[in-house]
Amino acid sequence: MATTRIDVKPAVLDWVQEVSNGTLNEAWTNKIDKWLKNESKPTLNQLKDLSKKAQIPFGYFFLDNTPKEDLPLLKFRTINNIEIDRPSRNLVDTIHSMELKQSWLSEERQKNGYPSSFFSHGFKYVENYRSLSDEQIAFNIMKSLDLKLGWNVGLKNREAFNLLRMKLDQVGVIVMYSGIVGSNTHRPLDQAEFRAFAIDDSFAPFIFVNSNDSYNAMLFSLVHELTHIWFGTSELYNDDYQAHRQFLNPQTEKYINRISEVIIFPEPLFTTEWQKDNKGTEIDQIIAVAKRFNASPLSAAIRSLHLKLITQETVDQLKNELDREYQRNKEYQRAKGSGGGEYYTTKAAQIDSTFAREVEWSVNSGTLGYNTAFELMGVSNSPAFEKLLGKIKEKG
């Protein structure tokens, strides 16, 4: 029996090479070059293998034209150190996954008569909000989440992140986090490419946080994105912590950053805590203050810079030290192996509990098929689905 060969359009093959971002080895590059020169054509199995290797959907090979992946979130990134037009497949697939989840949940909530989220576009409920200071806006956001000034002071490790996640759950905001694409440990998310993103929606606003940051760093990302949701805007966040950051929408991002800083580091409390540790170096002070606010040293350094307590030189010095530490930790984790705790416990922590409950309710009521439920929850079969739901219920 003759082997079936597939006629893939040259424009699609060119696009595959372009978006693979160096993931294809020389053997694959040579194969594609032969296909482009019409010296041979790929088999079905070759295309399946290439789909996995290049991390692109298999169906793209059968298109007549170059695939169009419309990702509006990408236009919001800072532009100091990222190629705007070359997002990784890991980022693209993560955004698509969250968009799928949000689309389903928003439609489901509307169909079942849920009210729209009062937190999304919360600024509409504040009279003359444009005339308010950053501190007043931050107070209004905290009030809507039932948080008080200094809410995060004295908390430890992941406590502040989990508290804020719970408060957002109560106002209808879904918060997911992960450090990999789906369940694939071989596809880690790069914190240099993005730290978090927010996808606004009147019924199901979504926030996704890259968990390859520490919980303290994830806290600032979460606050930054919830502030975007409060203003009714979607955003992809990849702050590089430079003094003169460049944004594609500079006015909005600077405004959001200032408000986020106030939510975590209110000035009166911050300056009081800063003065308590004035015997060591400035970096010692920054680390000590960050610890008391349950925040990352870099976010504390930026707040110190904006309050004119330190210079950008100190921020850069701290950033370099933390970057070296981050690389050492990456190498250690790579040498140690995946590990990462019990699989279902880890995955249960990453999935928003409310989202999981609504998926389960829809399955039990017969309005959602199991295959779609598996896709939404990132599992492949019924035993995995039930075990994951059990772990999510255990965490509360």
Side-chain angles (χ1 to χ4, degrees):
M1 181 181 292
T3 302
T4 302
R5 301 277 175 174
I6 310 299
D7 187 16
V8 182
K9 296 295 187 289
V12 173
L13 292 173
D14 282 334
W15 179 86
V16 170
Q17 287 187 312
E18 181 183 350
V19 302
S20 63
N21 290 335
T23 61
L24 299 179
N25 59 26
E26 185 177 353
W28 274 114
T29 301
N30 290 337
K31 284 181 185 178
I32 295 174
D33 285 342
K34 288 182 178 179
W35 298 340
L36 284 168
K37 294 174 183 177
N38 211 25
E39 295 176 1
S40 67
K41 295 185 185 297
T43 66
L44 195 63
N45 286 335
Q46 284 178 322
L47 291 181
K48 288 179 179 178
D49 290 341
L50 179 55
S51 171
K52 293 177 182 177
K53 184 64 178 176
Q55 299 169 354
I56 63 170
F58 177 64
Y60 282 7
F61 291 108
F62 301 92
L63 297 176
D64 289 330
N65 299 299
T66 303
K68 301 295 183 184
E69 295 186 306
D70 184 21
L71 294 172
L73 283 177
L74 296 179
K75 69 175 179 284
F76 297 116
R77 292 189 290 176
T78 55
I79 57 177
N80 284 7
N81 61 354
I82 292 290
E83 291 181 67
I84 292 296
D85 59 341
R86 297 289 293 275
S88 71
R89 294 306 310 173
N90 291 346
L91 172 57
V92 170
D93 290 348
T94 300
I95 292 175
H96 283 328
S97 175
M98 291 304 119
E99 287 178 335
L100 172 68
K101 291 173 172 59
Q102 182 192 54
S103 177
W104 172 81
L105 184 60
S106 179
E107 183 178 333
E108 192 72 8
R109 286 181 169 180
Q110 292 177 64
K111 185 172 63 180
N112 292 317
Y114 276 59
S116 60
S117 170
F118 71 83
F119 188 81
S120 174
H121 294 78
F123 72 94
K124 292 181 178 179
Y125 304 103
V126 179
E127 188 176 354
N128 298 321
Y129 83 94
R130 292 183 183 279
S131 65
L132 300 182
S133 66
D134 300 338
E135 287 75 14
Q136 290 169 319
I137 291 290
F139 173 78
N140 275 280
I141 293 174
M142 287 190 289
K143 183 180 178 182
S144 66
L145 293 171
D146 193 27
L147 293 172
K148 300 186 183 301
L149 192 72
W151 61 276
N152 53 317
V153 175
L155 297 179
K156 297 178 181 179
N157 299 323
R158 63 184 69 181
E159 292 176 350
F161 182 88
N162 287 342
L163 172 62
L164 194 51
R165 193 183 187 191
M166 179 189 72
K167 294 292 187 180
L168 287 165
D169 179 76
Q170 292 170 353
V171 296
V173 180
I174 301 297
V175 179
M176 305 276 197
Y177 71 85
S178 182
I180 59 177
V181 179
S183 301
N184 191 339
T185 57
H186 298 292
R187 297 184 65 186
L189 301 176
D190 186 358
Q191 68 167 9
E193 183 173 33
F194 83 105
R195 296 178 182 273
F197 58 79
I199 313 177
D200 186 51
D201 181 87
S202 296
F203 291 88
F206 258 63
I207 294 174
F208 180 88
V209 181
N210 184 345
S211 63
N212 284 323
D213 266 345
S214 67
Y215 270 99
N216 293 340
M218 288 166 62
L219 177 66
F220 191 89
S221 298
L222 182 55
V223 171
H224 183 92
E225 300 302 46
L226 73 85
T227 304
H228 267 284
I229 295 294
W230 192 83
F231 279 105
T233 56
S234 300
E235 192 247 7
L236 190 144
Y237 179 60
N238 71 318
D239 201 337
D240 55 5
Y241 295 103
Q242 299 300 311
H244 304 294
R245 290 167 287 181
Q246 301 179 61
F247 301 97
L248 294 181
N249 49 348
Q251 189 172 6
T252 300
E253 282 308 294
K254 289 176 182 178
Y255 186 42
I256 296 290
N257 275 339
R258 291 198 309 268
I259 293 168
S260 301
E261 288 177 20
V262 174
I263 291 174
I264 298 179
F265 306 113
E267 183 175 354
L269 285 177
F270 189 85
T271 53
T272 298
E273 294 296 329
W274 179 264
Q275 291 164 4
K276 289 181 181 178
D277 292 283
N278 55 8
K279 295 180 181 178
T281 66
E282 287 183 333
I283 288 182
D284 291 334
Q285 282 182 277
I286 292 167
I287 293 173
V289 170
K291 188 175 181 179
R292 282 198 284 277
F293 283 89
N294 202 237
S296 70
L298 270 176
S299 60
I302 294 297
R303 183 59 165 156
S304 306
L305 176 68
H306 291 164
L307 293 175
K308 302 188 181 340
L309 298 172
I310 61 172
T311 64
Q312 179 63 36
E313 184 179 358
T314 302
V315 177
D316 292 340
Q317 182 184 346
L318 175 65
K319 187 175 185 297
N320 289 335
E321 289 185 15
L322 293 175
D323 283 345
R324 286 193 292 270
E325 182 180 344
Y326 173 70
Q327 290 302 323
R328 286 194 297 269
N329 287 338
K330 275 181 64 175
E331 291 169 7
Y332 170 74
Q333 292 297 331
R334 190 182 300 115
K336 189 175 72 168
S338 57
E342 202 271 328
Y343 171 79
Y344 288 101
T345 300
T346 301
K347 194 168 183 65
Q350 297 168 348
I351 295 176
D352 185 275
S353 297
T354 295
F355 178 82
R357 285 195 301 270
E358 297 198 35
V359 170
E360 182 183 28
W361 183 88
S362 296
V363 168
N364 291 339
S365 65
T367 61
L368 181 66
Y370 273 101
N371 287 338
T372 303
F374 297 163
E375 184 176 8
L376 290 170
M377 295 290 286
V379 296
S380 58
N381 53 49
S382 290
F385 180 69
E386 296 300 333
K387 189 167 185 177
L388 181 56
L389 285 176
K391 288 293 183 181
I392 291 171
K393 289 172 184 176
E394 284 179 17
K395 76 173 183 176

